[in-house]
Amino acid sequence: MALTRRSLQRDLGLRGNLLKRLFGTNGVRGVTNRELTAELALGMGKAIGTYFNEKSKVLVGRDIRAGGDMLVRALTSGLLSAGIDVYYAGILPTPTLQYGIKNGKYDGGVMVTASHNPPEFNGIKVIDADGVETSSLNEEMIEEYYFSRKFREVEWRDLGHDVKEVPGLIDQYVKGILRHVDVKRIRERRFRVLVDGGSSVGSLTSVKVARELGCELHEIGTELDPLFRQRLPEPTPMSLKKTAELATRLKVDIAVAHDGDADRAIFIDSDGKVQLGDRSGVLLAYWVSLKEKPRSKIVATPFSSSNLVDEFLEKHGIKTEWTHIGSIHVSRKLIENGGFAGFEDNGGFIYPKHQYVRDGAMAFALMLDFLASQKKSSAELFDMLPKYNSEKIKIPIANGMNVDDILSKVNEKYMNSGKVVNTDRDGVKIVGKDFWFIVRKSGTEPVIRVSVEAKGKAKLDQTIENLKKIIF
Ligand code: MG
C-alpha cells in the first residue's frame, strides 16, 4: 500500500509544517535529527537519485552545521542505490558547489545546508546541471518519488562507483571570482577589511578573496563552529551588533558578513552601519552597469526589496523586474530576460557573468572593486542612495493565527493609503508617498516577515505600530 503523506509523517515522527510540502522556498528544511533525520535524508537521496538519470554525475557538499555529516552519508547512500555516481566536494559554500557543478560539467548536485536558519536546523537543496537550484516543478517530482516510494533501485551490478572526493574547488572558485574584478587597482588601495564568516563556510572563501586582493585583513567568526556560538547564522543588524562594533573600532574601509552557507553578503560601511542587502545590491548593480555598460538594462529583485531600487536605478536608465520571493525566481528571471544583475534584500547578489546564483564572496569582491574605482569611502557610496528609515521584524506564527486573514486585514486597511503592488500572493506590499511596506509569510521559517521603510523615524514608528495593531 502506498504511503500517504500523513502516514509517512507519522511513521517518521515528523512534526510541524515540514512535510505539508517537503520543499519550502529554498530546499527542504527542518530541525536536525528531529524532523530532518537520517531516514529522511536516505529517502531524499533515493528520491533525488531517481530524479536524476541513472549514471548521472552528482556533486554533493555541505556547510558546517551540526548533522551535516550524518545527512550527507545517508543522502549519499540513497543516491548510490539509484545508480548515481556520487562526487563529494566536502565543506564549502553553496555558491562554491554551484560553481563546481556548472564548471565541472556535473549533471547536478545536492547541498546539505539550512542557509540562514537557526543553528538547530539543517536542510537539503537540489541543484541542476547549470548550477541553479532546481525548479519547484522538479521539486514536486522529487516529492512524488519520495511519498510514493517509487524509487529506482538498480541491480547490484549497475551500482555506480564508490564516492569520489573532489578537492580544490574553493581555489578554483576564488580564481573565478578574481577574474571579474580589477585585482591590481584593488591591491593598490590596501583596504582595511573585516570578514565575518558567521562561524561557517564563508570563512573558507572570503578570507581568501581578501588576501588575494591585498587587503589588511581582520576576522571575526572565521573559525568553523557547527553550533554557531559566535552569532546566529542569519546576518542582520541585530546579529551583527558585535561585528559592527568591531568594524567601528578597527576603522575598517568595509566589513562583510555571510550567512551559514555564504550565498549572502551583508556589508557594514566605514561608519559602522549595517547596510541591508537591497541597498548593497542596488550599489553593486549600479557598479556593474557603470563598468561594463551591459546591453541589457534589466535587473531583477523580489517584491520584498525596498522601493529605493526603482527610485535610484531608474535615474540611471536601469529597469527593475520584480519577482516572486526566493532567489530561484530572481535567477530564472535573469536567465529568461538576460538581466545583468539580481539581488535580494537579505544580501543575496547575483552576477550572471560569474554564475546565475547568489554568491557572497563574489558580492564582496565586487564591492571592493567598486570602492577601488571611487575616491569615496564606503559610507559615502551608500549615502548616494535615497534615505529611508527601515525596520524588519519577524513575528512567530502562534497557534490559531490565520496568516491569510491577517494579510487581507492589512490589505483592507491600507488599500487607499498607497499603491497596492501585485505580489502574486507573496504578501501585501503597499507603496505610499513617504513609506512602503510588505507583510508576508516566510517560506523558510514559521514566521510572518514585516519590512517597513519610511522617510523619517516618526513615520516608520507609526507605520510599524499600526501594522502591529492589525497583526495582533
Ligand atoms: Mg544562504
Side-chain angles (χ1 to χ4, degrees), residues 404-465:
D404 290 336
D405 277 358
I406 290 171
L407 295 181
S408 2
K409 266 196 258 164
V410 172
N411 195 30
E412 219 171 277
K413 180 92 197 284
Y414 274 94
M415 57 204 263
N416 297 322
S417 327
K419 188 174 95 190
V420 181
V421 178
N422 177 14
T423 64
D424 221 350
R425 296 195 301 277
D426 262 353
V428 177
K429 183 171 184 175
I430 306 282
V431 179
K433 194 166 63 66
D434 47 2
F435 74 99
W436 74 271
F437 68 77
I438 184 164
V439 181
R440 65 186 182 92
K441 191 175 169 187
S442 163
T444 55
E445 287 174 85
V447 296
I448 296 173
R449 290 186 197 275
V450 182
S451 302
V452 187
E453 286 194 331
K455 301 216 156 143
K457 177 96 171 66
K459 181 75 193 174
L460 177 75
D461 291 345
Q462 183 209 335
T463 311
I464 291 173
E465 270 322 298

Side-chain angles (χ1 to χ4, degrees), residues 171-452:
D171 286 340
Q172 288 169 31
Y173 162 81
V174 169
K175 253 189 214 150
I177 286 176
L178 298 177
R179 272 202 286 276
H180 296 293
V181 298
D182 190 334
V183 174
K184 187 167 165 278
R185 185 161 67 185
I186 302 173
R187 276 172 174 262
E188 280 166 8
R189 295 289 294 272
R190 298 271 309 139
F191 287 125
R192 199 175 163 96
V193 305
L194 175 63
V195 172
D196 177 345
S199 307
S200 191
V201 289
S203 320
L204 303 174
T205 47
S206 282
V207 162
K208 271 202 171 139
V209 166
R211 286 211 179 100
E212 291 289 334
L213 291 174
C215 297
E216 181 193 316
L217 175 65
H218 298 271
E219 301 176 36
I220 180 171
T222 50
E223 275 174 29
L224 302 182
D225 175 12
L227 302 183
F228 294 89
R229 281 165 290 205
Q230 198 263 320
R231 68 160 164 88
L232 288 174
E234 181 165 22
T236 63
M238 186 96 91
S239 70
L240 297 180
K241 247 180 148 173
K242 234 168 89 183
T243 310
E245 278 165 23
L246 185 62
T248 309
R249 202 161 65 234
L250 290 167
K251 296 193 171 56
V252 296
D253 294 303
I254 190 115
V256 66
H258 296 298
D259 69 327
D261 65 336
D263 52 2
R264 299 186 187 181
I266 288 288
F267 293 96
I268 299 169
D269 71 22
S270 47
D271 285 347
K273 187 165 188 310
V274 179
Q275 297 285 352
L276 296 179
D278 37 10
R279 295 177 67 82
S280 53
V282 165
L283 275 192
L284 292 177
Y286 171 63
W287 168 233
V288 173
S289 83
L290 267 187
K291 77 165 181 166
E292 291 174 6
K293 314 219 163 16
R295 233 181 315 144
S296 151
K297 294 290 169 218
I298 294 172
V299 300
T301 196
F303 294 119
S304 49
S305 284
S306 167
N307 215 45
L308 75 85
V309 172
D310 259 347
E311 213 175 316
F312 182 78
L313 291 180
E314 224 171 64
K315 276 194 297 203
H316 299 282
I318 299 165
K319 186 177 177 302
T320 307
E321 295 262 4
W322 297 92
T323 77
H324 274 300
I325 293 160
S327 71
I328 170 93
H329 301 294
V330 184
S331 292
R332 299 283 172 207
K333 178 74 91 180
L334 291 173
I335 294 170
E336 249 168 62
N337 295 1
F340 70 90
F343 53 88
E344 299 174 292
D345 52 320
N346 59 28
F349 186 78
I350 301 174
Y351 177 54
K353 272 184 113 176
H354 174 57
Q355 54 180 349
Y356 273 101
V357 291
R358 50 191 180 174
D359 191 318
M362 186 70 245
F364 175 40
L366 280 173
M367 187 58 88
L368 293 174
D369 199 39
F370 187 22
L371 207 50
S373 75
Q374 307 286 312
K375 290 200 173 67
K376 288 179 174 156
S377 70
S378 60
E380 285 166 338
L381 292 182
F382 279 102
D383 274 345
M384 300 186 326
L385 301 175
K387 304 247 180 321
Y388 278 98
N389 291 70
S390 62
E391 202 157 319
K392 282 175 194 266
I393 347 175
K394 276 196 222 182
I395 300 168
I397 299 173
N399 271 348
M401 229 172 176
N402 185 330
V403 180
D404 290 336
D405 277 358
I406 290 171
L407 295 181
S408 2
K409 266 196 258 164
V410 172
N411 195 30
E412 219 171 277
K413 180 92 197 284
Y414 274 94
M415 57 204 263
N416 297 322
S417 327
K419 188 174 95 190
V420 181
V421 178
N422 177 14
T423 64
D424 221 350
R425 296 195 301 277
D426 262 353
V428 177
K429 183 171 184 175
I430 306 282
V431 179
K433 194 166 63 66
D434 47 2
F435 74 99
W436 74 271
F437 68 77
I438 184 164
V439 181
R440 65 186 182 92
K441 191 175 169 187
S442 163
T444 55
E445 287 174 85
V447 296
I448 296 173
R449 290 186 197 275
V450 182
S451 302
V452 187

Side-chain angles (χ1 to χ4, degrees), residues 146-174:
Y146 182 91
F147 289 114
S148 68
R149 292 319 220 207
K150 279 188 199 137
F151 301 130
R152 181 180 64 238
E153 281 162 346
V154 300
E155 288 297 321
W156 62 273
R157 54 169 63 82
D158 296 326
L159 289 169
H161 58 59
D162 286 354
V163 176
K164 286 190 182 159
E165 297 205 355
V166 183
L169 276 184
I170 287 176
D171 286 340
Q172 288 169 31
Y173 162 81
V174 169

Side-chain angles (χ1 to χ4, degrees), residues 49 88 94 140 143 160 264 338:
Y88 185 47
T94 299
E140 275 169 32
E143 281 178 359
R264 299 186 187 181

